[in-house]
Amino acid sequence: MISFLNLKEINAQYAEELKQACSRVIDSGWYLMGKELESFESQFASYCGTKCCIGVANGLDALTLTLRAWKELGKLEDGDEVIVQANTYIASILAITVNNLKPVLVEPDEYTFNLSPHLVEKAITAKTKVLLPVHLYGQMSPMPEIMEIAHKHNLLVLEDCAQAHGAKINGKNAGNWGDAGAFSFYPGKNLGALGDAGAVTTNSAELAKAIRSLGNYGSEKKYENIYRGVNSRLDEIQAAMLNVKLPYLDAEIRQRRHISERYLNEITNPLVKLPASKNEDTHVWHLFVVMCANRESLQSYLQKQGIQTLIHYPVPPHKQQAYKGLNSLSLPKTEKIHQEVLSLPLGPTMVESDITAVVNAVNLFNI
């Protein structure tokens, strides 16, 4: 079986370093808010090109705490609108609604599946306060155009970078375009921890201070609470794991690009629509997502050929039971995407014979 993503193989490459890092934390006797976290925050901020990085418990908290911090700083209030593409993962929407803000779902760009500047402009109202571009599947949204719109209308920009570690436009990294960038280090991400983990990047010291406090029970000084905060901290073990893996990220991205280039050049089946990529730097290929009108047949066929695939994502947020108030929305492009997308195997430990097997199997698929 060709795995969709073999995490065991990925982490086995760095097993000795990971074990040494884990032992270092255990032996230190310091397990939260210590040197490993400080080191990772510094290194990841430098990698992204930002002044600040704040480690949090997961990617959802990275989004949620950023919006919450803007509320505490007086930049947002209940009922304000946040524009986001409708075909995102539900976490993007959960972060908005848990803060008593209103998600405004817009159809994505039909080629990249990312936020469409044209449709953003049409969706802006007097209540719009935030643009939330999601760099879906590892490809950056058109940030120069989005930032131009944001500056024109005095809007905040929160990048959802959960799938786009290392992606760039004009040499500028994901997480360094907007007012803040939210990252997930879920194990399956391009930069994955060995458990849940997340971070926020920003160039605002004020925002960074508020997020750090909110994630630490609303406290800057022990037992003194400024906000009604939560417990959302990137622990020392996961920070140590990320410290080991960050230096290898760019090499893994190169391998992902190699695999994707082979797929793009060699998959020729007219029943399978390949993803669009504007240029190499903008896409780090967290996922290689094709579309097929007969998705279930394709997935079943590939499974029989010993190839594991996944669907990202079968049900759009506005059709989820959790958001019954949005169920009546008509978003045909989004719904078509969720009905037809299928993610092919893509991982930095894939060998050439695996890539060839996937290409050949897809090309032989018919109905």
Side-chain angles (χ1 to χ4, degrees):
M1 172 67 72
I2 298 174
S3 300
F4 174 75
L5 181 69
N6 194 321
L7 292 179
K8 184 176 180 180
E9 283 187 0
I10 290 171
N11 289 316
Q13 301 173 104
Y14 321 121
E16 288 308 310
E17 289 180 77
L18 292 169
K19 290 172 183 176
Q20 289 171 15
C22 189
S23 294
R24 185 171 65 244
V25 174
I26 293 170
D27 293 343
S28 75
W30 195 283
Y31 309 121
L32 285 169
M33 302 175 72
K35 291 181 179 178
E36 295 290 345
L37 175 62
E38 182 181 344
S39 173
F40 176 70
E41 289 178 337
S42 175
Q43 290 188 64
F44 196 64
S46 177
Y47 180 84
C48 294
T50 59
K51 294 178 181 177
C52 307
C53 171
I54 312 96
V56 297
N58 52 68
L60 174 57
D61 284 1
L63 291 165
T64 301
L65 290 174
T66 302
L67 294 171
R68 169 77 187 281
W70 280 332
K71 290 185 75 176
E72 296 290 354
L73 294 171
K75 297 179 184 293
L76 297 177
E77 59 184 32
D78 286 0
D80 282 344
E81 295 176 352
V82 181
I83 296 176
V84 62
Q85 66 246 48
N87 59 312
T88 184
Y89 181 56
I90 200 168
S92 308
I93 314 302
L94 291 170
I96 296 168
T97 58
V98 77
N99 278 295
N100 294 317
L101 302 170
K102 180 182 178 181
V104 176
L105 306 180
V106 298
E107 294 271 49
D109 179 278
E110 62 182 322
Y111 298 106
T112 66
F113 300 165
N114 279 333
L115 201 59
S116 165
H118 169 67
L119 295 178
V120 166
E121 283 266 28
K122 291 178 66 175
I124 292 172
T125 72
K127 291 291 288 180
T128 305
K129 293 295 186 292
V130 182
L131 303 182
L132 205 167
V134 183
H135 305 322
L136 205 61
Y137 309 148
Q139 182 164 211
M140 284 189 69
S141 298
M143 293 309 298
E145 294 91 336
I146 289 170
M147 294 309 299
E148 184 177 344
I149 293 169
H151 292 146
K152 176 181 174 182
H153 296 278
N154 194 29
L155 305 175
L156 295 164
V157 177
L158 171 55
E159 297 175 70
D160 186 334
C161 306
Q163 301 184 359
H165 319 67
K168 300 177 182 178
I169 295 178
N170 300 330
K172 191 172 182 177
N173 278 57
N176 191 25
W177 280 88
D179 298 280
F183 288 85
S184 167
F185 305 116
Y186 179 78
K189 301 300 185 184
N190 287 20
L191 177 60
L194 274 66
D196 276 321
V200 178
T201 54
T202 182
N203 290 306
S204 168
E206 179 187 45
L207 177 62
K209 184 178 180 181
I211 292 171
R212 193 178 300 282
S213 177
L214 283 166
N216 188 35
Y217 298 96
S219 174
E220 292 176 11
K221 183 178 179 182
K222 196 168 185 178
Y223 302 129
E224 294 183 12
N225 303 81
I226 302 169
Y227 309 113
R228 298 178 185 179
V230 298
N231 177 7
S232 181
R233 300 176 296 204
L234 176 56
D235 68 66
E236 287 289 281
I237 289 284
Q238 296 307 333
M241 302 298 100
L242 292 166
N243 277 327
V244 169
K245 297 182 71 176
L246 179 58
Y248 298 104
L249 175 58
D250 287 343
E252 291 199 0
I253 289 172
R254 286 193 292 273
Q255 176 62 5
R256 288 175 175 275
R257 286 173 172 159
H258 167 69
I259 297 164
S260 299
E261 184 177 11
R262 283 203 58 191
Y263 284 165
L264 290 169
N265 289 335
E266 298 175 36
I267 293 175
T268 57
N269 192 329
L271 298 175
V272 178
K273 181 181 177 182
L274 298 174
S277 174
K278 295 208 169 180
N279 64 63
E280 184 176 271
D281 280 352
T282 66
H283 211 320
V284 292
W285 298 103
H286 173 59
L287 300 171
F288 191 95
V289 181
V290 300
M291 291 183 69
C292 180
N294 303 97
R295 176 179 67 193
E296 282 69 27
S297 296
L298 175 59
Q299 185 172 41
S300 176
Y301 159 77
L302 291 174
Q303 179 71 22
K304 290 174 183 176
Q305 305 305 308
I307 297 169
Q308 181 187 29
T309 59
L310 294 178
I311 298 172
H312 296 88
Y313 306 95
V315 183
H318 73 284
K319 294 298 183 183
Q320 298 283 357
Q321 185 176 347
Y323 288 106
K324 290 180 181 178
L326 300 176
N327 288 174
S328 62
L329 286 177
S330 176
L331 297 162
K333 287 183 182 177
T334 292
E335 289 155 23
K336 180 179 173 65
I337 288 169
H338 286 261
Q339 289 163 4
E340 297 188 5
V341 291
L342 186 68
S343 300
L344 300 183
L346 179 59
T349 59
M350 285 183 73
V351 297
E352 296 300 318
S353 59
D354 290 337
I355 305 167
T356 299
V358 173
V359 168
N360 290 341
V362 173
N363 282 338
L364 290 172
F365 170 72
N366 59 70
I367 52 174

